[in-house]
Amino acid sequence: MYNSYIFDLYGTLIDIHTDEEDPMVWERLSYHFLYSGYSLDPNVLKDQYRKEVTRQISTPLIECEFPELDIQLIFKNIVAELGYNPEENWLDETVLWFRLLSIRSLKLYDGVKETLSTLKDRNKKIYLLSNGQTAFVEAEMRILGITDFFDGIAISSNPGICKPDPLFYTYLADTFNVDLTSAIMIGNDATTDIAGANRMGMDACYYHSNCSPETETVDCKHQIWDGDFRRILELG
């Protein structure tokens, strides 16, 4: 019997597809920079972004096994190289523009709202443990109408740690007083969601979706391979 259900977001609840390699993303983002007085060639902007990503990964903001990127800081450093100090509001806006320009589709998987609602009716606690940036995770959850289902939302950009790092699971437990011994982790990625849960000694349910990395075997107690999200209600 599970009292708490911890869900991954992208590829588990939300069917999302993005393309950050599309040259049009960087061309249009460069106009956003230009309108603010920051002149950057699209290719230069893309190269500097990649360099900042590499820099953050090699020198993480917090000591952990799996650090998360801070995209706000990436854009702040890019603008700083031009001799400017951008305002916080502009950085928030830029992160959202980057996401909007790269996104190709965004929708809930069939049965998500029905399943979450039924779990609430059964007095289960529902939590989110998502890798991603707070700025667009919160916006996309709100757009799709699922925010209010959750008793706690943990997004990796807040602590600077991402799955499968056990520290991120501990962050969720400490922040929202979650008893992990009576919880189950549900996610579509064997190398992050399931591996992280295994390292914490938690039960897990692998949900195979169109966004799942290619795999044939998964090491966890429960597995859903047919895409029927409602089967989560059978877990107990």
Side-chain angles (χ1 to χ4, degrees):
M1 178 72 70
Y2 301 111
N3 296 322
S4 299
Y5 288 69
I6 304 171
F7 287 92
D8 168 56
L9 184 63
Y10 297 114
T12 301
L13 303 177
I14 294 180
D15 182 359
I16 187 170
H17 297 274
T18 61
D19 184 4
E20 296 178 3
E21 297 303 317
D22 185 348
M24 289 299 293
V25 170
W26 300 98
E27 181 177 338
R28 291 170 180 171
L29 189 62
S30 73
Y31 280 119
H32 169 68
F33 274 68
L34 184 59
Y35 281 16
S36 304
Y38 312 134
S39 180
L40 272 174
D41 177 84
N43 291 324
V44 173
L45 176 57
K46 181 180 179 180
D47 288 344
Q48 290 191 352
Y49 179 87
R50 299 304 181 201
K51 288 177 181 177
E52 285 295 325
V53 167
T54 301
R55 182 185 302 174
Q56 280 199 18
I57 291 174
S58 61
T59 57
L61 301 176
I62 184 171
E63 186 176 344
C64 62
E65 189 177 354
F66 293 93
E68 179 60 278
L69 296 173
D70 184 338
I71 296 184
Q72 274 193 337
L73 182 58
I74 287 175
F75 288 127
K76 182 176 183 178
N77 289 343
I78 290 173
V79 173
E81 288 289 324
L82 299 174
Y84 298 97
N85 184 25
E87 295 182 354
E88 201 71 23
N89 287 343
W90 184 87
L91 293 170
D92 291 339
E93 185 180 76
T94 303
V95 171
L96 289 178
W97 265 112
F98 182 51
R99 183 66 160 187
L100 288 169
L101 291 171
S102 63
I103 204 164
R104 297 295 173 263
S105 65
L106 178 74
K107 62 182 179 180
L108 292 175
Y109 286 105
D110 182 48
V112 166
K113 281 190 176 181
E114 176 187 334
T115 300
L116 295 178
S117 180
T118 301
L119 289 174
K120 295 298 285 185
D121 290 342
R122 293 177 180 177
N123 294 317
K124 303 297 184 181
K125 294 291 187 179
I126 304 176
Y127 300 96
L128 185 80
L129 190 69
S130 175
N131 290 351
Q133 301 294 306
T134 300
F136 56 71
V137 169
E138 291 182 344
E140 288 156 8
M141 291 180 67
R142 184 174 63 252
I143 289 168
L144 295 172
I146 59 173
T147 304
D148 292 342
F149 286 112
F150 292 90
D151 296 285
I153 295 173
I155 304 169
S156 58
S157 65
N158 287 334
I161 308 166
C162 63
K163 294 175 291 186
D165 200 315
L167 289 176
F168 191 27
Y169 291 78
T170 301
Y171 170 83
L172 172 75
D174 291 346
T175 302
F176 301 106
N177 194 28
V178 183
D179 178 10
L180 298 183
T181 63
S182 63
I184 184 168
M185 177 74 210
I186 299 131
N188 75 301
D189 193 322
T191 62
T192 56
D193 306 313
I194 307 307
N198 288 343
R199 293 177 68 177
M200 293 296 294
M202 295 173 54
D203 281 356
C205 175
Y206 173 74
Y207 172 70
H208 187 76
S209 73
N210 60 328
C211 294
S212 294
E214 186 173 345
T215 185
E216 295 182 357
T217 59
V218 181
D219 180 20
C220 65
K221 184 175 182 179
H222 306 283
Q223 302 182 21
I224 300 173
W225 288 86
D226 62 3
D228 185 357
F229 193 84
R230 296 173 181 85
R231 289 183 57 196
I232 289 168
L233 297 172
E234 302 170 5
L235 299 179

